[in-house]
């Protein structure tokens, strides 16, 4: 008899409980099955001699149904509420108790089931519970409702509806006579031994030699018993943990995982944790012994493992064992390539997580480092071997970096998020530092590229690595990426002898600093400029264009302390190339050039005044002196620049010398008489005086309108008093510039003995100019008159237009009647109230 219970208890609890209700019962009698249905069945408690029993109450309704078979059944089992599987001498049949139909469980034309080997060779689970005893060709019902049916030397799983489960067959070494289920194993009694197989993998895990064993029982209190005619053996399972560890020691990770999946655990998290542990050990085995590097790393990725788990596969990257000099073997190089690809992908993930936390307002503590982080972690300090160990941010480990000030700022509600932020930052630093080690081992060329992009490498450790490999340029890139500019510059200054091209490197580094670091820029520029002024000044002439005027003044002050020449070069750059219009800087450049010229002239000895007194040739000549070259630059600047104040600059020029420069300054002050006096009486360059007048003459201007009269007065003094100029030169001058000279004033300045015939050309040009002026004025008058007539004509035309306002005329703006209101009429014909126009 096999009862079907509404709610079956645990396999270990086979005693009937008061809540269990018997619904149906099948009894095999010869070639017939008697099926009884119980309606209203319940268990009642009976007490006999201080002992309690549970019995079926007699207040029930029983119905019966008979099914006829063609042979005597050896065993019957309920598959579900409407299906029975019966074992007959020639096989198993499936009976539907509702319809009374039957069918062979395994038809003769159905292929024999086959088994698949999964390589399990040891007992790995405790044997607990009892399913029931079977006769020959045993049938066992599992907890999930499936049936285990044996036919010949095959055992297969049958679904509750009577169909055979695909790929569920087990091939025994011989035909079993008895079969019991001890989750997750099937234990079969064979002619010469007891065989234990995993129900999941179908593999034999243990063979127990027991001579002449005839009976196999699974009892509730004693476990599995095997009996012969003379002996009884009790099979005791190993402990779960021992079985799993035994499988792991034999590198049978797949079977260990299957065992864990079959076992009962207090919670699903415990099961998952054990599976993750087994897979992690499997990955380590693949990496270490089978050299399947990429498969091992991929397995850890699938487990959502920490980057630390992958890095710990490479013990050579521990600080204690890391060898920088020896190139990796080919197999090691392949492993490093796998690690490099993995770390590259992980650093992108971690960087994204850090940005999300930074968006929440979290900041990194100033003293944060890998060593400090691990020291502050109460749950996972560094290991003895130096290998970084610890949980992952993905597995929920809790590190705490105790920075009370920051924690007080973020508040208690965000403290857990801040812990996770620090964990993520810790992982990111480990990943980047390890990736740097990989690049040093695999490809040095990648180191510089890596350090030039944003990274979070651990500073002290990375610094030691690069110094050991003499990667000085890469070390400087590391400092720059960390914002440690002073440390980088000081390193270059202190190690000038070992750094290739130290001055260009310093210049390049300083040029890339932001203007906010001007204190540091000036501090280290002093070293560079004193070593190499030519390259040093490029710090300021090739970069720092977009800076304030005050900063440019500060740079000029700094350069003044080193060399006035450098100051002049810098000021010339910012004024001519960057169009700096600050008067102070322009005046400073002029003063510097003048001081430079005077300084050179003074070094020439007693004749320095003469060296400054002459005029500068119009064209540059080969072999001209340095003074002439500097004066040419100064003259050009004085002529072109409009940003300086001559009142400030002029008093700083010497009274004797630099006459042309003084004339330019005097012209800016409209002191043309003084400028002309210098050209005529100091320089004796009448041509320059005439050219000066032509450049500055403006008709009708109160300052320059009489400039030709002034020069004529000076010329007449030379004619009458100094006797150094002929009257003919004066008359020729008047003939050339007659249109710009006042005729009356000019005639009055001439001596009486000058003949009118000699003034013919002067009068012709003067009168011609007067006529031209009068004609131009007449043309302008007529043009204005014509324009006036055109305007009047247009006005008359516009005034001749009219618009008719009727009672129905509406305002185009407010859509109200115009009526007698004041209106405006637009050229397009629209009529609008005046007050609507104002709106």
């Amino acid at each position: 008899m096999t009862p079907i219970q509404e709610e079956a208890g645990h396999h270990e609890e086979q005693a009937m409980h008061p809540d269990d209700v018997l619904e149906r019962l099948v009894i095999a009698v010869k070639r017939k099955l008697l099926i009884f249905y119980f309606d209203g069945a319940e268990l009642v408690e009976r007490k006999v001699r201080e002992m309690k029993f549970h019995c079926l109450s007699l207040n029930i309704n029983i119905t019966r149904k008979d099914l006829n078979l063609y042979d005597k059944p050896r065993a019957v089992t309920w598959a579900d509420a409407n299906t029975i599987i019966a074992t007959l001498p020639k096989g198993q049949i499936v009976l539907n108790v509702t319809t009374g139909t039957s069918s062979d469980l395994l038809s003769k034309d159905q292929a024999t089931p086959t088994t698949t080997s999964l390589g399990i060779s040891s007992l790995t689970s405790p044997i607990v519970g009892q399913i029931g005893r079977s006769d020959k060709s045993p049938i066992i019902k599992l907890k999930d409702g499936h049936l285990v049916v044996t036919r010949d030397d095959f055992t297969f799983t049958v679904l509750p509806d009577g169909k055979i489960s695909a790929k569920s067959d087990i091939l025994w070494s011989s035909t079993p006579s008895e079969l019991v289920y001890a989750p997750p194993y099937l234990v079969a009694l064979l002619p010469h031994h007891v065989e234990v197989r995993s129900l999941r993998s179908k593999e034999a895990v243990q063979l127990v030699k027991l001579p002449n064993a005839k009976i196999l029982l699974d009892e509730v209190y004693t476990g599995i018993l095997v009996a012969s005619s003379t002996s009884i053996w009790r099979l005791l399972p190993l402990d779960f943990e021992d079985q799993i560890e035994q499988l792991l020691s034999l590198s049978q990770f797949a079977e260990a995982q299957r065992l864990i999946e079959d076992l009962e655990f207090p919670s699903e998290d415990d099961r998952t944790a054990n599976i993750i542990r087994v897979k992690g050990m499997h990955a380590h085995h693949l990496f270490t012994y089978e050299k399947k590097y990429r498969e091992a790393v991929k397995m850890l990725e699938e487990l959502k493992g920490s980057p630390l788990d992958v890095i710990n596969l490479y013990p050579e990257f521990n600080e204690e064992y890391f060898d920088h000099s020896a190139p990796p073997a080919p197999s090691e190089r392949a492993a490093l390539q796998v690690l490099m690809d993995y770390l590259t992908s992980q650093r992108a993930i971690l960087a994204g997580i850090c940005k999300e936390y930074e968006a929440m307002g979290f900041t990194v503590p100033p003293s944060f480092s890998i060593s400090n982080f691990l020291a502050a972690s109460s749950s996972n300090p560094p290991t003895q071997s130096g290998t970084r160990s610890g949980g992952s941010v993905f597995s929920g480990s809790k590190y705490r970096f105790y920075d009370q000030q920051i924690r007080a700022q973020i508040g208690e509600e965000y403290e857990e998020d801040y812990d996770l932020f620090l964990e993520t930052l810790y992982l990111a630093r480990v990943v980047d530092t390890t990736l740097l080690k990989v690049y040093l081992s695999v490809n040095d060329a990648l180191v510089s590229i890596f350090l030039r992009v944003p990274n979070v490498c651990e500073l002290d450790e990375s610094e030691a690595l690069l110094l050991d490999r003499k990667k000085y340029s890469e070390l400087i890139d590391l400092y720059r990426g960390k914002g440690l500019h002073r440390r980088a510059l000081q390193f270059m200054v202190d190690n000038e002898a070992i750094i290739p091209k130290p001055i260009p490197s310093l210049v390049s580094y300083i040029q890339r600093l932001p203007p906010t670091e001007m204190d540091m820029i000036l501090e280290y520029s002093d070293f560079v400029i004193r070593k190499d002024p030519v390259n040093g000044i490029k710090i300021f002439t090739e970069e720092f264009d977009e800076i304030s005027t005050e900063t440019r003044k500060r740079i000029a002050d700094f350069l003044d302390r080193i060399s006035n020449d450098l100051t002049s070069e810098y000021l010339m750059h910012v004024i001519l190339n960057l169009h700096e219009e600050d008067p102070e800087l322009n005046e400073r450049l002029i003063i510097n050039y003048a001081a430079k010229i005077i300084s050179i002239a003074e070094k020439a000895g007693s004749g320095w005044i003469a060296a400054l007194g002459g005029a500068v040739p119009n064209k540059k000549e080969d072999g001209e002196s340095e003074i002439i070259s500097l004066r040419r630059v100064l003259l050009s600047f004085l002529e072109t620049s409009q940003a300086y104040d001559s009142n400030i600059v002029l008093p700083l020029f010497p009274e004797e010398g630099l006459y042309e420069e003084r004339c330019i300054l005097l012209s800016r002050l409209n002191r043309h008489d003084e400028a002309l006096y210098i050209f005529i009486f100091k320089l004796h360059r009448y041509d320059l005086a005439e050219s000066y007048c032509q450049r500055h003459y403006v008709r009708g201007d109160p300052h320059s309108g009489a400039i030709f009269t002034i020069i004529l007065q000076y010329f007449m003094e030379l004619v009458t008093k100094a006797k150094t100029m002929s009257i003919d030169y004066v008359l020729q001058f008047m003939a050339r510039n007659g249109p710009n000279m006042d005729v009356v004033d000019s005639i009055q300045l001439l001596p009486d003995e000058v003949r009118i015939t000699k003034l013919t050309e002067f009068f012709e040009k003067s009168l011609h100019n007067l006529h031209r002026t009068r004609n131009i004025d007449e043309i302008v008058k007529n043009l204005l008159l014509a324009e006036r007539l055109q305007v009047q004509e247009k006005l008359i035309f516009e005034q001749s237009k009219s618009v008719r306002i009727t009672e129905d005329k509406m305002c185009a703006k407010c859509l109200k009647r115009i009526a007698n209101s004041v209106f405006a009429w637009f050229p397009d014909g629209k009529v609008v109230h005046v007050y609507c126009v104002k709106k």
Side-chain angles (χ1 to χ4, degrees):
M1 296 187 299
T2 305
I4 294 294
Q5 300 172 0
E6 178 68 17
E7 297 182 0
H10 194 276
H11 290 308
E12 295 180 354
E13 300 173 358
Q14 295 298 321
M16 188 171 291
H17 291 265
D19 294 335
D20 295 335
V21 179
L22 191 65
E23 292 184 348
R24 63 190 65 82
L25 179 67
V26 60
I27 302 174
V29 179
K30 296 184 180 181
R31 296 185 179 183
K32 184 180 292 186
L33 295 180
L34 306 180
I35 303 173
F36 296 90
Y37 294 92
F38 302 92
D39 185 14
E42 62 180 1
L43 294 175
V44 296
E45 186 177 295
R46 296 287 186 265
K47 186 174 182 181
V48 180
R49 295 181 181 179
E50 304 302 328
M51 298 182 64
K52 292 181 180 181
F53 297 91
H54 290 95
C55 305
L56 283 174
S57 69
L58 299 179
N59 187 21
I60 59 176
N61 295 321
I62 302 176
T63 58
R64 170 181 165 182
K65 184 175 183 178
D66 297 349
L67 293 177
N68 295 321
L69 303 176
Y70 63 82
D71 205 344
K72 293 181 180 181
R74 295 181 177 180
V76 292
T77 303
W78 287 97
D80 59 21
N82 298 313
T83 307
I84 293 176
I85 296 180
T87 300
L88 303 181
K90 294 183 179 181
Q92 291 86 9
I93 62 173
V94 181
L95 296 170
N96 189 309
V97 298
T98 302
T99 63
T101 58
S102 65
S103 62
D104 287 341
L105 183 62
L106 187 61
S107 60
K108 293 181 180 180
D109 57 347
Q110 187 172 347
T112 303
T114 59
T115 189
T116 304
S117 174
L118 297 178
I120 304 297
S121 60
S122 64
L123 185 61
T124 59
S125 173
I127 301 175
V128 295
Q130 176 180 359
I131 298 301
R133 180 181 174 183
S134 66
D135 202 345
K136 307 297 182 180
S137 301
I139 299 176
I140 298 175
K141 188 169 184 179
L142 304 179
K143 183 179 179 181
D144 58 4
H146 292 191
L147 299 175
V148 176
V149 180
T150 301
R151 184 170 183 179
D152 297 330
D153 52 355
F154 282 98
T155 294
F156 45 89
T157 304
V158 179
L159 303 177
D161 59 1
K163 295 181 180 179
I164 299 176
S165 176
K167 299 182 180 179
S168 63
D169 49 299
I170 297 176
L171 177 62
W172 301 95
S173 59
S174 182
T175 302
S177 58
E178 301 284 352
L179 188 68
V180 297
Y181 179 53
Y185 300 106
L186 287 175
V187 182
L189 179 60
L190 304 182
H192 303 291
H193 59 271
V194 174
E195 188 168 322
V196 181
R197 286 182 178 268
S198 170
L199 183 60
R200 180 185 290 268
S201 67
K202 317 300 185 296
E203 288 294 315
V205 297
Q206 190 172 7
L207 299 178
V208 181
K209 296 291 186 179
L210 298 176
N212 302 321
K214 301 296 184 183
I215 300 174
L216 177 65
L217 296 174
D218 185 10
E219 296 298 333
V220 177
Y221 300 106
T222 60
I224 298 177
L225 300 178
V226 182
S228 68
S229 56
T230 59
S231 303
I232 297 176
W233 295 274
R234 181 183 178 189
L235 302 183
L236 298 175
L238 293 175
D239 184 71
F240 288 144
E241 294 183 0
D242 294 339
Q243 293 181 57
I244 295 173
E245 294 302 325
Q246 182 181 358
L247 286 172
L248 294 178
S249 65
L250 296 173
S251 301
Q252 296 182 6
F253 304 101
E255 182 62 25
Q257 180 179 339
R258 284 192 289 267
L259 175 59
I260 293 172
E261 292 171 351
D262 288 336
L263 295 176
E264 296 289 342
F265 285 89
S267 67
E268 194 61 30
D269 291 341
D270 293 335
R271 184 194 307 276
T272 302
N274 279 278
I275 292 175
I276 290 175
R277 172 175 171 265
V278 171
K279 286 186 175 181
M281 295 180 68
H282 188 192
H284 188 275
H285 178 82
L286 288 174
F287 186 93
T288 305
Y289 299 102
E290 299 185 24
K291 305 301 181 183
K292 296 180 179 179
Y293 308 117
R294 199 167 295 278
E295 290 84 348
V297 172
K298 185 177 180 180
M299 182 177 292
L300 291 176
E301 280 191 279
E302 292 173 352
L303 294 175
K304 304 296 183 184
S306 165
L308 300 176
D309 299 327
V310 177
I311 295 172
N312 283 337
L313 293 174
Y314 297 80
E316 63 271 22
F317 286 120
N318 297 338
E319 292 80 357
E320 184 177 353
Y321 305 108
F322 184 45
D323 185 4
H324 313 284
S325 57
S331 60
E332 294 174 350
R333 191 176 184 86
L336 293 176
Q337 185 65 45
V338 172
L339 180 60
M340 183 169 64
D341 296 342
Y342 170 78
L343 294 178
T344 301
S345 63
Q346 287 298 309
R347 71 187 304 268
I349 295 172
L350 293 169
I353 297 174
C354 286
K355 286 183 179 179
E356 292 179 3
Y357 282 119
E358 289 171 358
M360 297 172 62
F362 294 161
T363 57
V364 182
S367 58
F368 183 88
S369 67
I370 290 178
S371 57
N372 289 344
F373 182 76
L374 290 176
S377 169
S378 59
S379 60
N380 200 350
T383 59
Q384 292 291 337
S385 63
T387 304
R388 297 187 184 94
S389 63
S392 164
V393 67
F394 307 108
S395 60
S397 61
K398 300 297 180 186
Y399 288 101
R400 298 180 64 85
F401 190 86
Y402 293 99
D403 192 311
Q404 299 299 336
Q405 183 177 0
I406 295 179
R407 292 187 181 279
Q409 293 174 356
I410 64 176
E412 294 182 359
E413 64 273 18
Y414 297 111
E415 189 167 345
E416 184 174 352
D417 290 331
Y418 186 65
D419 289 335
L420 292 176
F421 165 62
L422 294 179
E423 290 178 21
T424 306
L425 183 61
Y426 161 71
L427 289 175
R429 290 202 176 187
V430 173
V431 166
D432 279 9
T433 305
T434 306
L435 188 57
L436 174 61
K437 293 181 181 181
V438 175
Y439 286 150
L440 286 170
S441 299
V442 176
N443 189 349
D444 288 351
L446 297 175
V447 175
S448 179
I449 299 174
F450 173 64
L451 293 176
R452 288 174 186 170
V453 301
N455 65 84
V456 290
C457 291
E458 185 71 3
L459 178 62
D460 294 340
E461 188 174 349
S462 302
E463 183 181 41
L465 291 171
L466 296 172
L467 285 173
D468 188 58
R469 292 290 293 270
K470 297 182 180 180
K471 297 289 183 180
Y472 304 122
S473 299
E474 289 79 0
L475 178 59
I476 294 169
D477 290 333
L478 174 67
Y479 289 145
R480 179 186 290 113
K482 299 289 185 183
L484 302 174
H485 304 303
R486 182 175 297 278
R487 195 164 178 174
L489 292 170
Q490 193 61 44
F491 175 81
M492 287 188 279
V493 169
D494 295 340
N495 298 275
E496 181 184 1
I498 61 176
I499 295 178
K501 300 179 179 180
I503 297 301
S505 297
L506 277 165
V507 170
S508 176
Y509 194 102
I510 296 173
Q511 286 177 336
R512 295 169 65 180
L513 291 176
T516 54
E517 300 288 349
M518 188 54 63
D519 289 339
M520 190 186 308
I521 292 170
L522 298 180
E523 177 182 348
Y524 287 93
S525 296
D526 183 270
F527 172 83
V528 176
I529 293 174
R530 294 185 188 279
K531 284 277 187 179
D532 187 348
V534 175
N535 286 312
I537 193 61
K538 293 180 181 179
I539 295 174
F540 304 107
T541 58
E542 294 182 355
E543 294 293 335
F544 305 111
D545 293 346
E546 302 297 330
I547 57 177
S548 66
T549 299
E550 293 303 318
T551 304
R552 288 172 178 169
K553 292 178 181 179
R554 185 179 176 189
I555 294 174
D557 292 339
F558 161 75
L559 294 174
D560 262 344
R561 295 194 294 269
I562 301 175
S563 170
N564 286 339
D565 294 342
L566 296 177
T567 306
S568 300
E569 184 177 351
Y570 174 70
L571 292 176
M572 187 66 74
H573 165 72
V574 298
I575 293 172
L576 298 184
N577 299 331
L578 306 181
H579 310 291
E580 175 60 62
E581 296 181 355
D582 180 69
E584 181 180 340
L585 291 178
N586 282 260
E587 294 158 6
R588 193 167 183 174
L589 177 61
I590 295 171
I591 295 169
N592 277 2
Y593 266 105
K596 176 70 173 177
I597 294 170
I598 293 173
S599 175
I600 296 175
E602 287 177 343
K603 293 178 181 178
S606 58
W608 69 274
I609 296 179
L612 300 179
V616 177
N618 293 329
K619 294 183 179 180
K620 186 175 182 180
E621 301 175 356
D622 295 336
E624 67 181 12
S625 65
E626 183 181 2
I627 290 180
I628 297 299
S629 298
L630 291 173
R631 289 189 64 193
R632 190 185 304 280
V633 174
L634 179 57
L635 286 170
S636 175
F637 182 77
L638 290 172
E639 286 282 1
T640 56
S641 177
Q642 303 296 323
Y644 62 89
D645 187 351
S646 298
N647 286 312
I648 296 176
V649 177
L650 183 61
L652 301 176
F653 272 66
E655 292 291 337
E656 301 295 332
L658 300 179
Y659 293 127
E660 285 189 84
E661 291 82 350
R662 288 184 63 85
C663 289
I664 295 175
L665 295 174
L666 291 170
S667 69
R668 294 293 179 89
L669 299 175
N670 292 317
R671 293 159 61 177
H672 302 297
D673 54 341
E674 296 180 41
L676 290 173
Y677 184 87
I678 291 174
F679 280 121
I680 295 173
F681 297 101
K682 298 287 186 182
L683 292 175
H684 307 289
R685 291 292 301 270
Y686 313 132
D687 57 332
L688 293 180
E690 183 178 353
S691 176
Y692 178 90
C693 291
Q694 293 171 350
R695 289 197 310 273
H696 294 88
Y697 171 76
V698 177
R699 183 183 298 273
D701 183 77
H703 301 291
S704 62
I707 192 171
F708 280 98
T709 302
I710 296 173
I711 191 174
L712 182 60
Q713 290 176 344
Y714 288 146
F715 282 169
M716 292 310 300
E717 288 184 17
L718 295 177
V719 172
T720 60
K721 296 180 181 180
K723 308 294 184 182
T724 57
M725 180 178 289
S726 66
I727 191 65
D728 292 335
Y729 182 86
V730 176
L731 295 176
Q732 292 174 1
F733 167 77
M734 294 176 63
R736 290 194 300 269
N737 299 282
N740 298 327
M741 300 180 70
D742 184 274
V743 176
V744 176
D745 291 342
S746 300
I747 294 298
Q748 292 178 348
L749 291 174
L750 293 177
D752 296 337
E753 61 267 19
V754 176
R755 293 180 175 271
I756 296 297
T757 56
K758 292 185 178 181
L759 297 174
T760 303
E761 187 176 358
F762 168 70
F763 287 132
E764 287 179 352
K765 289 187 177 182
S766 298
L767 292 174
H768 176 73
N769 183 64
L770 291 174
H771 283 294
R772 184 180 65 179
T773 302
R774 188 187 68 179
N775 292 337
I776 291 175
D777 291 343
E778 188 70 23
I779 292 172
V780 171
K781 184 187 75 172
N782 291 331
L783 290 174
L784 293 175
L785 179 61
E787 183 181 10
R788 179 172 176 271
L789 293 175
Q790 289 177 354
V791 172
Q792 288 178 344
E793 182 181 1
K794 187 175 181 180
L795 177 62
I796 294 170
F797 173 76
E798 295 294 338
Q799 289 176 342
S800 67
K801 292 181 179 181
S802 64
V803 59
R804 185 178 181 183
I805 305 297
T806 64
E807 293 183 356
D808 298 329
K809 193 69 172 178
M810 309 293 288
C811 174
K813 180 70 174 178
C814 66
L815 301 180
K816 295 180 181 179
R817 294 173 55 211
I818 297 295
N820 295 324
S821 302
V822 181
F823 64 88
W825 181 36
F826 287 92
D828 58 359
K830 292 182 180 180
V831 178
V832 182
H833 290 113
V834 171
Y835 56 81
C836 290
V837 175
K838 294 179 179 179
K839 291 181 180 179

